[in-house]
């Protein structure tokens, strides 16, 4: 399963256990991040595309490191 998210004016294709480098974001104390701007979600031939965003979809992530 994969998703296409939008953050910082860019789009990223993400899947479970991916590690991404994105612009600096505000992160909660527990290091969890939620991306609510989900453009597409799918697996194989079963793909759902938003117009432009998917309603109710979200991607959660964990902060690994913050750099300058």
């Amino acid at each position: 399963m994969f998703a296409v998210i939008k953050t910082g004016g860019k789009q990223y294709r993400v899947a479970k256990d991916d590690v991404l480098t994105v612009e600096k974001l505000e992160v909660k104390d527990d290091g969890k991040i939620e991306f609510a701007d989900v453009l597409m979600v799918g697996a194989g031939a079963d793909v759902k595309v938003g117009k432009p965003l998917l309603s109710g979809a979200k991607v959660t992530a964990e902060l690994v490191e913050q750099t300058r």
Side-chain angles (χ1 to χ4, degrees):
M1 170 147 311
F2 71 94
V4 177
I5 62 170
K6 183 174 129 182
T7 181
K10 298 177 185 172
Q11 298 176 5
Y12 299 92
R13 183 184 189 274
V14 296
K16 184 177 180 182
D17 297 326
D18 280 355
V19 177
L20 296 175
T21 301
V22 297
E23 74 289 339
K24 188 172 181 176
L25 301 171
E26 290 189 30
V27 181
K28 300 175 188 172
D29 292 335
D30 61 1
K32 302 291 182 188
I33 305 166
E34 283 191 2
F35 297 99
D37 290 346
V38 179
L39 305 169
M40 179 188 304
V41 173
D46 183 31
V47 177
K48 295 180 182 176
V49 179
K51 298 178 184 179
L53 302 175
L54 282 172
S55 177
K58 67 179 176 180
V59 172
T60 57
E62 179 181 334
L63 175 67
V64 175
E65 175 183 32
Q66 279 193 6
T67 61
R68 279 172 50 142

Coordinates of all heavy atoms in Angstrom, one line a residue:
M1 N 0.9 -1.2 0.0 CA 0.0 0.0 0.0 C 0.9 1.2 0.0 O 1.9 1.3 0.7 CB -0.9 0.0 1.2 CG -1.6 1.3 1.3 SD -3.3 1.5 2.0 CE -4.2 0.3 1.2
F2 N 0.5 2.2 -0.7 CA 1.2 3.5 -0.8 C 0.2 4.6 -0.7 O -1.0 4.5 -0.8 CB 2.0 3.6 -2.1 CG 1.2 3.8 -3.3 CD1 0.9 5.1 -3.8 CD2 0.6 2.7 -4.0 CE1 0.1 5.3 -4.9 CE2 -0.1 2.9 -5.1 CZ -0.4 4.2 -5.6
A3 N 0.8 5.8 -0.5 CA 0.0 7.1 -0.4 C 0.8 8.2 -1.1 O 2.0 8.1 -1.1 CB -0.4 7.4 1.0
V4 N 0.1 9.2 -1.6 CA 0.8 10.4 -2.1 C 0.3 11.5 -1.2 O -0.9 11.7 -1.1 CB 0.5 10.7 -3.5 CG1 1.1 12.0 -4.0 CG2 0.9 9.5 -4.4
I5 N 1.3 12.1 -0.5 CA 1.0 13.2 0.4 C 1.5 14.5 -0.1 O 2.5 14.5 -0.9 CB 1.5 12.9 1.9 CG1 3.0 12.8 1.9 CG2 0.8 11.7 2.4 CD1 3.6 12.8 3.2
K6 N 1.0 15.6 0.4 CA 1.5 16.9 0.1 C 1.9 17.7 1.3 O 1.2 17.7 2.3 CB 0.4 17.7 -0.6 CG 0.8 19.1 -1.1 CD -0.3 19.7 -1.9 CE -0.6 21.1 -1.4 NZ -1.7 21.7 -2.1
T7 N 3.2 18.2 1.3 CA 3.7 19.0 2.5 C 4.7 19.9 1.9 O 5.5 19.6 1.1 CB 4.2 18.1 3.6 OG1 4.7 18.9 4.7 CG2 5.4 17.2 3.2
G8 N 4.6 21.1 2.4 CA 5.6 22.1 2.0 C 5.6 22.5 0.5 O 6.6 22.8 -0.1
G9 N 4.5 22.3 -0.2 CA 4.4 22.6 -1.6 C 4.9 21.5 -2.5 O 5.0 21.7 -3.7
K10 N 5.3 20.4 -1.9 CA 5.8 19.2 -2.7 C 4.9 18.0 -2.4 O 4.2 17.9 -1.4 CB 7.2 18.9 -2.3 CG 8.2 20.1 -2.5 CD 9.6 19.7 -2.0 CE 10.5 20.9 -2.2 NZ 11.8 20.7 -1.6
Q11 N 5.0 17.1 -3.3 CA 4.3 15.8 -3.2 C 5.3 14.7 -3.0 O 6.3 14.6 -3.6 CB 3.4 15.5 -4.4 CG 2.4 16.6 -4.6 CD 1.6 16.4 -5.9 OE1 1.8 15.4 -6.6 NE2 0.7 17.3 -6.2
Y12 N 4.9 13.7 -2.2 CA 5.8 12.6 -1.9 C 5.0 11.3 -1.9 O 3.9 11.2 -1.4 CB 6.4 12.7 -0.5 CG 7.2 13.9 -0.2 CD1 6.7 15.1 0.3 CD2 8.6 13.9 -0.5 CE1 7.5 16.2 0.5 CE2 9.4 15.0 -0.3 CZ 8.8 16.2 0.2 OH 9.6 17.3 0.4
R13 N 5.5 10.3 -2.6 CA 4.9 9.0 -2.6 C 5.5 8.2 -1.4 O 6.8 8.1 -1.3 CB 5.3 8.2 -3.9 CG 4.6 6.8 -4.0 CD 5.0 6.1 -5.2 NE 4.3 4.9 -5.5 CZ 4.6 3.7 -4.9 NH1 5.6 3.6 -4.1 NH2 3.8 2.7 -5.2
V14 N 4.7 7.7 -0.5 CA 5.2 7.1 0.7 C 4.6 5.7 0.9 O 3.5 5.5 0.4 CB 4.9 8.0 2.0 CG1 5.7 9.3 1.9 CG2 3.4 8.2 2.1
A15 N 5.3 4.9 1.6 CA 4.8 3.5 1.9 C 5.3 3.2 3.3 O 6.2 3.9 3.9 CB 5.3 2.5 0.9
K16 N 4.8 2.1 3.9 CA 5.2 1.8 5.2 C 6.7 1.6 5.3 O 7.4 1.0 4.4 CB 4.5 0.5 5.6 CG 4.8 0.1 7.0 CD 4.1 -1.2 7.4 CE 4.5 -1.4 8.9 NZ 4.0 -2.6 9.5
D17 N 7.3 2.1 6.4 CA 8.8 2.0 6.7 C 9.6 2.9 5.8 O 10.9 2.7 5.8 CB 9.3 0.6 6.7 CG 8.6 -0.2 7.8 OD1 8.3 0.3 8.9 OD2 8.4 -1.4 7.6
D18 N 9.1 3.8 5.0 CA 9.9 4.7 4.2 C 10.5 5.8 5.1 O 9.9 6.1 6.1 CB 9.0 5.5 3.2 CG 8.8 4.6 1.9 OD1 9.3 3.5 1.8 OD2 8.0 5.1 1.1
V19 N 11.7 6.3 4.8 CA 12.3 7.4 5.5 C 12.4 8.5 4.5 O 13.0 8.3 3.4 CB 13.7 6.9 6.0 CG1 14.4 8.1 6.7 CG2 13.6 5.8 7.0
L20 N 11.9 9.7 4.8 CA 11.9 10.8 4.0 C 12.6 12.0 4.6 O 12.6 12.1 5.8 CB 10.4 11.3 3.7 CG 9.5 10.3 2.9 CD1 8.1 10.9 2.8 CD2 10.1 10.1 1.5
T21 N 13.1 12.9 3.8 CA 13.6 14.1 4.2 C 12.7 15.2 3.7 O 12.5 15.3 2.5 CB 15.0 14.4 3.7 OG1 15.9 13.3 4.1 CG2 15.6 15.7 4.2
V22 N 12.0 15.9 4.6 CA 11.1 17.0 4.2 C 11.5 18.3 5.0 O 12.4 18.3 5.8 CB 9.6 16.7 4.6 CG1 9.2 15.4 3.8 CG2 9.4 16.4 6.0
E23 N 10.8 19.4 4.6 CA 11.1 20.7 5.3 C 10.8 20.6 6.7 O 10.1 19.7 7.2 CB 10.3 21.8 4.6 CG 8.8 21.8 4.9 CD 8.1 20.7 4.2 OE1 8.5 20.1 3.3 OE2 7.0 20.4 4.8
K24 N 11.3 21.5 7.5 CA 11.0 21.5 9.0 C 9.6 21.6 9.3 O 8.9 22.5 8.7 CB 11.8 22.6 9.6 CG 11.8 22.6 11.1 CD 12.7 23.6 11.7 CE 12.7 23.5 13.2 NZ 13.6 24.3 13.9
L25 N 9.1 20.8 10.2 CA 7.7 20.8 10.6 C 7.6 20.9 12.1 O 8.5 20.5 12.8 CB 7.0 19.4 10.2 CG 7.0 19.1 8.7 CD1 6.6 17.7 8.5 CD2 6.2 20.0 7.9
E26 N 6.4 21.4 12.5 CA 6.2 21.4 14.0 C 5.8 20.0 14.4 O 4.9 19.4 13.8 CB 5.1 22.4 14.3 CG 5.5 23.9 14.1 CD 4.5 24.8 14.7 OE1 3.8 24.5 15.7 OE2 4.4 25.9 14.1
V27 N 6.4 19.5 15.4 CA 6.2 18.1 15.8 C 5.8 18.1 17.3 O 6.3 18.9 18.1 CB 7.5 17.3 15.7 CG1 7.3 15.9 16.1 CG2 8.0 17.4 14.2
K28 N 4.8 17.3 17.6 CA 4.4 17.1 19.0 C 5.5 16.5 19.8 O 6.5 16.0 19.3 CB 3.2 16.2 19.1 CG 2.0 16.6 18.3 CD 0.9 15.6 18.3 CE -0.2 15.9 17.3 NZ -1.2 14.9 17.2
D29 N 5.4 16.6 21.1 CA 6.4 16.1 22.0 C 6.7 14.6 21.9 O 7.8 14.2 22.1 CB 6.1 16.4 23.5 CG 6.1 17.9 23.8 OD1 6.8 18.6 23.1 OD2 5.4 18.3 24.7
D30 N 5.7 13.9 21.5 CA 5.9 12.4 21.3 C 6.6 12.1 20.0 O 6.8 10.9 19.7 CB 4.6 11.7 21.5 CG 3.6 12.1 20.4 OD1 3.8 12.9 19.5 OD2 2.4 11.5 20.5
G31 N 6.9 13.1 19.1 CA 7.6 12.8 17.9 C 6.7 12.3 16.7 O 7.1 11.9 15.7
K32 N 5.4 12.3 16.9 CA 4.4 11.9 15.9 C 4.0 13.0 15.0 O 3.8 14.1 15.5 CB 3.2 11.2 16.5 CG 3.5 10.1 17.5 CD 3.9 8.9 16.7 CE 4.2 7.7 17.7 NZ 4.8 6.6 17.1
I33 N 3.8 12.7 13.7 CA 3.4 13.7 12.7 C 2.2 13.1 12.0 O 2.2 12.0 11.6 CB 4.6 14.0 11.7 CG1 5.8 14.4 12.5 CG2 4.1 15.1 10.7 CD1 7.1 14.4 11.6
E34 N 1.2 14.0 11.7 CA 0.1 13.5 10.9 C 0.0 14.4 9.6 O 0.1 15.6 9.7 CB -1.2 13.7 11.6 CG -1.5 12.6 12.6 CD -2.9 12.6 13.2 OE1 -3.7 13.5 12.7 OE2 -3.2 11.8 14.0
F35 N 0.0 13.8 8.5 CA -0.2 14.5 7.2 C -1.7 14.2 6.8 O -2.1 13.1 6.5 CB 0.8 13.9 6.2 CG 2.2 14.1 6.5 CD1 3.0 13.1 7.1 CD2 2.8 15.3 6.3 CE1 4.3 13.3 7.4 CE2 4.1 15.5 6.6 CZ 4.9 14.5 7.1
A36 N -2.4 15.3 6.7 CA -3.8 15.2 6.4 C -4.1 15.5 4.9 O -5.1 15.2 4.4 CB -4.7 16.2 7.2
D37 N -3.1 16.1 4.2 CA -3.2 16.4 2.8 C -2.8 15.2 2.0 O -1.7 15.1 1.5 CB -2.3 17.6 2.4 CG -2.9 18.9 3.0 OD1 -4.0 18.9 3.4 OD2 -2.1 19.9 2.9
V38 N -3.7 14.2 1.9 CA -3.5 13.0 1.2 C -4.1 13.1 -0.2 O -5.4 13.3 -0.3 CB -4.0 11.7 1.9 CG1 -3.8 10.5 1.2 CG2 -3.4 11.7 3.3
L39 N -3.4 12.9 -1.3 CA -3.9 13.0 -2.6 C -4.3 11.7 -3.2 O -5.2 11.7 -4.0 CB -2.8 13.7 -3.5 CG -2.2 15.0 -3.0 CD1 -1.0 15.4 -3.8 CD2 -3.3 16.1 -3.1
M40 N -3.7 10.6 -2.8 CA -3.9 9.3 -3.4 C -3.5 8.2 -2.4 O -2.6 8.3 -1.7 CB -3.1 9.2 -4.7 CG -3.3 7.8 -5.4 SD -2.1 7.6 -6.8 CE -2.5 9.0 -7.8
V41 N -4.3 7.1 -2.4 CA -4.0 6.0 -1.6 C -4.3 4.7 -2.5 O -5.3 4.7 -3.2 CB -4.9 5.9 -0.3 CG1 -4.7 4.6 0.4 CG2 -4.6 7.1 0.6
G42 N -3.4 3.7 -2.4 CA -3.7 2.6 -3.2 C -2.8 1.4 -3.0 O -1.7 1.5 -2.3
A43 N -3.1 0.3 -3.6 CA -2.3 -0.9 -3.6 C -2.7 -1.7 -4.9 O -3.9 -2.0 -5.1 CB -2.6 -1.8 -2.4
G44 N -1.8 -1.8 -5.8 CA -2.0 -2.5 -7.0 C -3.1 -1.8 -7.9 O -2.9 -0.6 -8.1
A45 N -4.1 -2.5 -8.3 CA -5.1 -1.9 -9.1 C -6.2 -1.1 -8.3 O -7.0 -0.4 -8.9 CB -5.8 -3.0 -10.0
D46 N -6.2 -1.3 -7.0 CA -7.1 -0.6 -6.2 C -6.6 0.7 -5.7 O -6.0 0.8 -4.6 CB -7.5 -1.5 -5.0 CG -8.6 -0.9 -4.1 OD1 -9.4 -0.1 -4.6 OD2 -8.5 -1.1 -2.9
V47 N -6.8 1.8 -6.5 CA -6.3 3.1 -6.1 C -7.4 4.1 -6.0 O -8.3 4.1 -6.8 CB -5.3 3.6 -7.3 CG1 -4.8 5.0 -7.0 CG2 -4.1 2.6 -7.4
K48 N -7.4 4.9 -4.9 CA -8.4 6.0 -4.7 C -7.7 7.3 -4.9 O -6.6 7.6 -4.3 CB -8.9 5.9 -3.3 CG -9.7 4.6 -3.1 CD -10.3 4.5 -1.7 CE -11.0 3.2 -1.5 NZ -11.5 3.1 -0.1
V49 N -8.2 8.1 -5.7 CA -7.6 9.4 -6.0 C -8.6 10.5 -5.5 O -9.8 10.5 -5.7 CB -7.4 9.6 -7.6 CG1 -6.9 11.0 -7.9 CG2 -6.5 8.5 -8.1
G50 N -8.0 11.5 -4.8 CA -8.8 12.6 -4.3 C -9.1 13.7 -5.4 O -8.5 13.7 -6.4
K51 N -10.0 14.6 -5.0 CA -10.3 15.7 -6.0 C -10.3 17.0 -5.2 O -11.3 17.6 -5.0 CB -11.7 15.5 -6.5 CG -11.8 14.2 -7.4 CD -13.2 14.0 -7.9 CE -13.3 12.7 -8.6 NZ -14.6 12.4 -9.1
P52 N -9.2 17.6 -4.8 CA -7.8 17.2 -5.0 C -7.4 16.3 -3.8 O -6.4 15.6 -3.9 CB -7.0 18.5 -5.0 CG -7.8 19.4 -4.1 CD -9.3 19.0 -4.4
L53 N -8.1 16.4 -2.6 CA -7.6 15.6 -1.5 C -8.7 14.5 -1.2 O -9.9 14.6 -1.4 CB -7.5 16.5 -0.2 CG -6.5 17.7 -0.4 CD1 -6.6 18.5 0.9 CD2 -5.1 17.2 -0.6
L54 N -8.2 13.4 -0.5 CA -9.1 12.4 -0.1 C -9.7 12.7 1.3 O -8.9 13.1 2.2 CB -8.3 11.0 0.1 CG -8.0 10.3 -1.2 CD1 -7.1 9.1 -0.9 CD2 -9.3 9.8 -1.8
S55 N -11.0 12.7 1.4 CA -11.7 13.1 2.6 C -11.4 12.0 3.6 O -11.7 10.9 3.4 CB -13.1 13.3 2.3 OG -13.8 13.6 3.5
G56 N -11.0 12.4 4.8 CA -10.9 11.5 5.9 C -9.6 10.7 5.9 O -9.3 10.0 6.9
A57 N -8.8 10.8 4.9 CA -7.5 10.1 4.9 C -6.4 10.8 5.6 O -6.4 12.1 5.6 CB -7.1 9.8 3.4
K58 N -5.5 10.1 6.2 CA -4.3 10.7 6.9 C -3.2 9.7 6.9 O -3.4 8.5 6.9 CB -4.6 11.2 8.3 CG -4.9 10.1 9.3 CD -5.2 10.7 10.6 CE -5.6 9.6 11.6 NZ -5.9 10.1 12.9
V59 N -2.0 10.2 6.9 CA -0.8 9.4 7.0 C -0.1 9.8 8.3 O 0.1 11.0 8.5 CB 0.1 9.6 5.8 CG1 1.5 9.0 6.0 CG2 -0.6 9.2 4.5
T60 N 0.3 8.9 9.1 CA 1.0 9.2 10.3 C 2.5 8.8 10.2 O 2.8 7.8 9.5 CB 0.5 8.5 11.5 OG1 0.5 7.1 11.3 CG2 -0.9 8.9 11.8
A61 N 3.4 9.6 10.8 CA 4.8 9.3 10.7 C 5.5 9.6 12.0 O 4.9 10.2 12.9 CB 5.4 10.2 9.6
E62 N 6.7 9.2 12.2 CA 7.5 9.4 13.4 C 8.7 10.2 13.0 O 9.4 9.8 12.0 CB 7.8 8.1 14.0 CG 8.7 8.1 15.2 CD 9.0 6.8 15.8 OE1 8.3 5.8 15.5 OE2 10.0 6.7 16.4
L63 N 9.1 11.2 13.8 CA 10.3 12.0 13.6 C 11.5 11.1 13.9 O 11.6 10.5 15.0 CB 10.2 13.2 14.5 CG 11.5 14.1 14.4 CD1 11.6 14.7 13.1 CD2 11.5 15.1 15.5
V64 N 12.4 11.1 13.0 CA 13.7 10.4 13.2 C 14.8 11.3 13.6 O 15.5 11.1 14.6 CB 14.1 9.6 11.9 CG1 15.5 8.9 12.1 CG2 13.1 8.6 11.6
E65 N 14.9 12.5 12.9 CA 15.9 13.4 13.2 C 15.5 14.8 12.6 O 14.9 14.9 11.5 CB 17.2 12.9 12.5 CG 18.4 13.9 12.5 CD 19.6 13.3 11.8 OE1 19.4 12.7 10.8 OE2 20.7 13.6 12.2
Q66 N 15.9 15.9 13.3 CA 15.8 17.2 12.8 C 17.2 17.8 12.5 O 18.0 17.7 13.4 CB 15.0 18.1 13.7 CG 13.6 17.9 13.7 CD 12.8 19.0 14.4 OE1 13.4 20.0 14.8 NE2 11.5 18.9 14.5
T67 N 17.4 18.3 11.3 CA 18.7 19.0 11.0 C 18.4 20.4 10.5 O 17.3 20.8 10.3 CB 19.4 18.2 9.9 OG1 18.6 18.1 8.8 CG2 19.7 16.7 10.4
R68 N 19.5 21.1 10.3 CA 19.3 22.4 9.7 C 19.3 22.4 8.2 O 19.7 21.6 7.5 CB 20.5 23.3 10.1 CG 20.4 23.8 11.5 CD 21.6 24.5 12.0 NE 22.2 25.5 11.2 CZ 22.7 26.6 11.7 NH1 22.6 26.9 13.0 NH2 23.3 27.5 10.9

